[in-house]
């Protein structure tokens, strides 16, 4: 049994394991594929729990991607245990209200979250994504995250599981956790193997379908005199739902006088789709510009006569992203030594802001189970993965439905 990450064919020194010996009961070693929200949160837990791990992340650096993320009262207590609560509170704003407006920016409804903290002890907060990453990486030793490592294949046998990367390097560990997002290579690998064994469900065999087009951005710092909402020490999400346009806009003031914004268009299901609704289906800066031009006339709620175009023009081009938002619940979450977490096993649309919170909480369950795992025998690993699935799959499925409802309420027109 290997108790350390090993490159079976080390090509250079930097492929050697820099890891301290495992401290957990079983001596389990873990490769986490993907250093996103789920992978990094889990790494923080493993640091605390004394489980040795290595993150393989395909990106060369953290990409800004113009978006922000909400953490709710379910994952803030986790961040508190990880010693990161103060960082999150300082870098974020608590969410007080969702204010809904029509196309003329006339208020049409409001949801009040201001007593969330009183009820549950924690607010819901919002911050930009790069800051989120910075907080999550601060306590992770540099040598435990390897960037520029795109995992292509996974193989497993009685000795362990091996992740092979596009640069020819390979890493061996007891188990592999696929936290590599919606298009998870880890998932594709285990699904190929499940399929060969006739164990892949027809649901899981189908590709992801996308349900929403989304344009997101984070503005540069704006003048609080022009945008007085920026003076608040809390944030209200202002949601503009125009009657005759097929999309809605969400404005979220975040720290440093910036406004994070998102334009979301629901995509009709294929059977009801008219050609037009697919006009923004391509990716890239061109698609971003096209969608931006299409929505910029929308009124913004901040100033008389102000438009979404004002906010778009105050957003650096590299902080505007056009993304497709998929939704799918995958039924199989593990095979032998390999298990999935986060968007890799359930992709929800962000309308209810649940995706990151789910990934964080899945990490908690998996980490707790791994700490108590008595040995690294396959039967104990399987028990852990089964328990993990029992504890989390139902919740992920509910979250998918919940997010879909939020999206429909705001995005569908009858
Ligand atoms: C616009 C938008 C707004 C959102 N807002 C919210 C919100 O307010 N609240 C919320 O809870 N959620 C939100 N979400 C969802 C949230 O971002 C995701 O649910 C969350 O990031 C999932 O975490 P993850 O770790 O599973 O995947 P990701 O964060 O996607 O991370 C996957 C990582 O794996 C890496 N990777 C991929 N393939 C490989 C490979 N082959 N080898 C190595 N590495 C690889 C990727 O580079 C990436 O770093 C939002 C999503 C979007 C798009
Ligand atoms: C993975 O890498 C190892 C070591 O380099 C190699 O022996 C093995 O064939 C590779 N597996 C795949 C599927 O590429």
């Amino acid at each position: 049994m290997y108790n350390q990450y090993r490159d079976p064919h080390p090509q250079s020194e930097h492929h050697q394991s820099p890891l301290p010996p495992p401290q957990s009961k079983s001596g389990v070693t873990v490769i986490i594929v993907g250093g996103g929200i789920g992978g990094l949160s889990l790494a923080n837990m493993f640091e605390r729990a004394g489980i040795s791990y290595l993150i393989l992340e395909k990106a060369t650096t953290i990409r800004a991607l113009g978006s922000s993320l909400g953490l709710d009262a379910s994952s803030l207590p986790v961040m508190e245990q990880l010693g990161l609560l103060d960082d999150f509170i300082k870098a974020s704003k608590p969410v007080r209200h969702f204010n809904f407006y029509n196309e003329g920016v006339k208020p049409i409804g409001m949801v009040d979250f201001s007593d969330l903290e009183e009820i549950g002890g924690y607010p819901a907060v919002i911050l930009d994504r790069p800051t989120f990453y910075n907080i999550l990486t601060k306590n992770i030793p540099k040598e435990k995250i390897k960037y520029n490592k795109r995992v292509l294949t996974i193989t497993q046998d009685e000795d362990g599981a091996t992740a092979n990367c596009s640069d020819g390097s390979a890493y061996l560990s007891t188990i592999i956790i696929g936290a590599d997002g919606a298009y998870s290579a880890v998932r594709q690998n285990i699904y190929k193997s499940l399929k060969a064994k006739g164990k892949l469900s027809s649901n899981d065999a189908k590709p992801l379908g996308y349900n929403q087009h989304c344009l997101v951005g984070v503005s540069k710092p704006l003048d609080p005199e022009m945008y007085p909402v920026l003076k608040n020490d809390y944030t209200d999400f202002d949601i503009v739902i125009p009657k005759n346009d097929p999309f809605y806009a969400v404005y979220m003031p975040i720290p440093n006088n910036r406004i994070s914004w998102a334009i979301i268009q629901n995509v009709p299901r294929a059977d009801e789709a008219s050609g037009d609704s697919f006009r923004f289906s391509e990716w890239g800066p061109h698609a971003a510009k096209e969608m931006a031009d299409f929505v910029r006339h929308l009124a913004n709620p901040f100033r008389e006569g102000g438009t979404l175009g004002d906010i778009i023009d105050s957003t650096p081009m590299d902080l505007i992203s056009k993304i497709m938002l998929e939704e799918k619940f995958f039924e199989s979450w593990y095979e032998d030594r390999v298990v999935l977490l986060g968007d890799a096993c359930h992709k929800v649309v962000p309308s209810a802001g649940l995706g990151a919170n789910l990934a964080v909480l899945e990490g908690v369950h998996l980490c707790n189970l791994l700490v108590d795992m008595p040995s690294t025998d396959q039967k104990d690993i399987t028990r852990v993965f089964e328990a993990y699935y029992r504890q989390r799959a139902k919740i992920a499925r509910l979250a998918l439905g919940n997010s879909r409802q939020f999206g429909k309420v705001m995005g569908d027109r009858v």
Side-chain angles (χ1 to χ4, degrees):
M1 188 65 54
Y2 299 108
N3 278 332
Q4 282 225 311
Y5 307 97
R6 274 193 356 190
D7 185 342
H9 295 277
Q11 296 163 329
S12 65
E13 240 173 36
H14 76 272
H15 288 141
Q16 303 283 349
S17 165
L19 287 160
Q23 297 150 32
S24 70
K25 220 185 286 181
S26 64
V28 66
T29 62
V30 185
I31 285 169
I32 302 172
V33 182
I37 306 290
L40 293 174
S41 301
L42 187 63
N44 276 279
M45 296 169 208
F46 284 173
E47 281 294 326
R48 294 273 163 146
I51 290 178
S52 46
Y53 68 90
L54 182 68
I55 297 179
L56 302 177
E57 164 58 48
K58 76 172 178 192
T60 38
T61 50
I62 293 160
R63 267 188 59 222
L65 195 91
S67 87
S68 54
L69 275 170
L71 270 186
D72 63 26
S74 70
S75 31
L76 276 180
V78 178
M79 297 308 166
E80 183 167 33
Q81 279 197 317
L82 295 173
L84 300 174
L85 184 64
D86 286 349
D87 294 281
F88 276 108
I89 296 294
K90 269 191 212 122
S92 67
K93 286 193 173 192
V95 182
R96 287 273 169 86
H97 305 98
F98 283 9
N99 299 318
F100 297 94
Y101 302 94
N102 70 8
E103 63 284 351
V105 216
K106 186 173 158 279
I108 51 175
M110 192 263 277
V111 181
D112 189 347
F113 297 106
S114 52
D115 49 8
L116 217 56
E117 188 163 0
E118 226 174 303
I119 295 169
Y122 299 85
V125 300
I126 178 145
L127 67 162
D128 65 283
R129 198 175 282 256
T131 306
F132 203 122
Y133 278 63
N134 286 340
I135 296 173
L136 288 181
T137 46
K138 112 179 193 189
N139 292 335
I140 300 180
K142 283 209 161 36
E143 67 278 10
K144 292 194 187 178
I145 310 182
K146 296 204 173 285
Y147 290 100
N148 216 351
K149 293 287 177 187
R150 178 194 288 271
V151 172
L152 295 179
T153 57
I154 305 277
T155 43
Q156 32 178 343
D157 57 28
E158 58 282 4
D159 286 338
T162 305
N164 288 51
C165 303
S166 57
D167 63 358
S169 60
Y171 297 86
L172 174 70
S173 61
T174 325
I175 63 170
I176 291 179
I177 298 176
D180 51 345
Y183 295 98
S184 169
V186 176
R187 184 185 69 233
Q188 287 168 31
N189 270 273
I190 63 175
Y191 278 18
K192 207 168 134 193
S193 156
L194 288 171
K195 191 172 178 200
K197 295 178 195 160
K199 285 190 189 164
L200 193 67
S201 71
S202 58
N203 167 73
D204 288 356
K206 282 188 217 131
L208 283 123
Y210 64 88
N211 292 56
Q212 294 178 344
H213 294 294
C214 184
L215 189 70
V216 293
V218 175
S219 79
K220 65 179 196 224
L222 300 169
D223 181 358
E225 299 308 323
M226 271 174 90
Y227 296 91
V229 285
L230 296 171
K231 294 180 190 166
N232 298 337
D233 54 8
Y234 58 88
T235 187
D236 282 353
F237 285 14
D238 285 334
I239 303 165
V240 179
I241 307 181
K243 194 170 180 188
N244 294 314
D245 287 315
F247 43 74
Y248 64 98
V250 187
Y251 300 91
M252 301 157 278
I254 59 172
N256 300 326
N257 295 329
R258 293 167 302 164
I259 294 177
S260 169
W261 52 271
I263 314 302
I264 297 174
Q265 179 189 22
N266 283 4
V267 177
R269 290 204 323 270
D271 50 298
E272 33 186 86
S274 71
D276 245 17
S277 38
F278 288 96
R279 58 179 295 167
F280 302 119
S281 56
E282 81 271 41
W283 291 68
H286 177 73
K289 171 93 177 43
E290 192 189 346
M291 187 158 167
D293 288 343
F294 192 70
V295 296
R296 56 179 299 123
H297 66 277
L298 265 190
N300 81 41
F302 304 116
R303 284 186 307 132
E304 188 72 34
T307 65
L308 173 56
D310 301 342
I311 311 280
I312 292 177
D313 294 342
S314 308
T315 304
M317 221 28 220
D318 63 329
L319 288 185
I320 300 182
S321 308
K322 164 84 204 308
I323 37 188
M324 317 284 262
L325 301 172
E326 308 83 355
E327 127 179 311
K328 185 170 169 95
F329 176 83
F330 292 95
E331 287 160 0
S332 297
W333 286 21
Y334 56 89
E335 189 206 20
D336 299 337
R337 295 175 176 277
V338 183
V339 66
L340 304 173
L341 169 152
D343 281 13
C345 49
H346 48 70
K347 184 76 178 102
V348 305
V349 294
S351 311
L354 291 173
N357 293 284
L358 287 175
V360 169
L361 291 174
E362 280 155 17
V364 172
H365 285 251
L366 205 46
C367 181
N368 284 340
L369 289 161
L370 287 172
V371 166
D372 290 336
M373 188 168 76
S375 82
T376 54
D377 295 347
Q378 182 63 57
K379 66 172 195 329
D380 285 328
I381 294 172
T382 303
R383 264 193 216 118
V384 161
F385 292 173
E386 279 169 0
Y388 164 64
Y389 188 79
R390 261 198 319 276
Q391 290 166 8
R392 296 301 309 179
K394 198 171 141 202
I395 293 163
R397 209 193 276 271
L398 289 173
L400 195 106
N402 190 312
S403 303
R404 183 182 297 166
Q405 273 170 13
F406 259 88
K408 279 181 121 27
V409 166
M410 296 188 278
D412 281 2
R413 304 287 177 273
V414 280

